[in-house]
Amino acid sequence: MTTLFVVIIALLAVALAAAGIRIAQLRAKFQHRGTLGRWPIPRVHPSEIDPVFEPTPMGPSRETEVAFISGLNVPGGVSDAETWVLSTLAKKSKRIFELGTCTGKTTYLLAKNCPEDGEVVTITLDPNEAASGAYAAGDDAHDRRAAARESAYATFYYTGTDAKPKIRQLFGDSKQFDESPYANSFDLIFIDGSHAESYVESDSRKALKMVRPGGLILWHDYRGPRRAKGVFRALNRLAKELPLKHIDGTTLVCYRRPK
């Protein structure tokens, strides 16, 4: 009798654990879709961003073949899926602007994949000024430290490569950057600079002025309310003004400016 009781209790414990895991999975799924009001930006298949991502019966089309290097062990890097999305979009983007160079690995791949006459302009803090920044009172201290850590590079992944002639490196604080000479001129803009809320807000407003009609803006690190909180809050607020989309399988959020 005692043995049977122990077996029953053990089976009940396993069943409850499995149910708990399933409930957690469903809760995360619904939160991600915004059902519980936690992830307001809707998630979409990449093909809703650009038809080039429309899958074939055997998977991605050959139109999405790109020059590629894994993001494994890259400081501040993007995932392999995100790299593929960005590199595919770069293939049809003659002018690209990147906010947040970090190691320059993404910069390098954007340049490798963009047209032969393409240009990638990228901005990062000068390493000597990496600890500074025009932060607002509500900006998270973790985001400040991360921005300083990822702005420590004076040479980059693309240095000395055949992609370098396509790249124009800018140094400076993106909040102090004057975007007016670049108005309406970029096909693709990638925002992956400081994750502090006030910087995401500032970078977004400048990108909206620089992207051309029909062009795309992509933001990195839309990770939910517990990670990269500044990105999450700033983009959720912006989504009340613009039809932002969260690309499935990534932490990328996208906006296409109407033509």
Side-chain angles (χ1 to χ4, degrees):
M1 191 69 167
T2 302
T3 302
L4 179 61
F5 180 75
V6 170
V7 170
I8 291 172
I9 293 298
L11 290 173
L12 285 173
V14 171
L16 287 172
I21 292 171
R22 182 56 181 160
I23 289 170
Q25 289 173 337
L26 289 171
R27 185 171 183 270
K29 180 179 179 181
F30 290 134
Q31 285 176 346
H32 188 86
R33 290 179 177 175
T35 305
L36 303 181
R38 296 284 299 278
W39 290 59
I41 300 176
R43 185 169 54 180
V44 300
H45 188 273
S47 61
E48 293 191 39
I49 303 303
D50 194 289
V52 72
F53 295 109
E54 189 67 42
T56 73
M58 292 181 284
S61 74
R62 286 190 294 273
E63 291 181 78
T64 65
E65 182 179 354
V66 295
F68 175 82
I69 298 171
S70 174
L72 185 66
N73 299 326
V74 177
V78 300
S79 74
D80 288 354
E82 292 161 352
T83 298
W84 172 66
V85 169
L86 288 164
S87 296
T88 300
L89 294 172
K91 290 173 68 175
K92 55 174 70 177
S93 303
K94 289 187 67 172
R95 297 204 74 205
I96 301 171
F97 196 97
E98 178 189 44
L99 289 121
T101 313
C102 196
T103 65
K105 183 250 187 181
T106 301
T107 319
Y108 171 75
L109 291 175
L110 291 172
K112 286 290 287 185
N113 286 290
C114 76
E116 285 301 315
D117 58 347
E119 178 187 39
V120 178
V121 183
T122 182
I123 185 170
T124 189
L125 280 171
D126 186 294
N128 297 319
E129 301 173 357
S132 65
Y135 292 101
D139 288 337
D140 189 85
H142 171 77
D143 292 332
R144 300 185 188 196
R145 292 191 296 271
R149 186 170 60 250
E150 294 176 7
S151 303
Y153 300 93
T155 58
F156 302 95
Y157 199 96
Y158 61 76
T159 302
T161 70
D162 59 352
K164 176 62 178 70
K166 291 184 180 180
I167 298 168
R168 183 147 55 101
Q169 182 69 57
L170 305 178
F171 290 96
D173 188 323
S174 66
K175 274 192 180 179
Q176 312 305 324
F177 169 68
D178 179 12
E179 77 282 2
S180 57
Y182 300 95
N184 305 307
S185 62
F186 289 98
D187 304 294
L188 177 64
I189 298 179
F190 180 45
I191 301 177
D192 192 23
S194 172
H195 295 158
E197 188 170 353
S198 70
Y199 269 87
V200 179
E201 174 77 19
S202 174
D203 291 348
S204 299
R205 294 299 175 190
K206 293 186 178 189
L208 288 167
K209 295 176 182 177
M210 293 192 294
V211 69
R212 67 164 180 79
L216 286 166
I217 302 174
L218 279 85
W219 293 260
H220 190 227
D221 283 317
Y222 186 71
R223 296 180 179 273
R226 293 181 179 84
R227 298 178 63 192
K229 299 175 185 178
V231 176
F232 189 69
R233 289 193 294 261
L235 291 185
N236 288 342
R237 190 162 52 249
L238 186 60
K240 296 178 181 179
E241 305 173 27
L242 300 170
L244 305 186
K245 305 294 183 184
H246 181 189
I247 301 176
D248 192 25
T250 76
T251 68
L252 299 172
V253 165
C254 181
Y255 168 70
R256 186 180 290 277
R257 181 179 173 184
K259 292 184 178 181

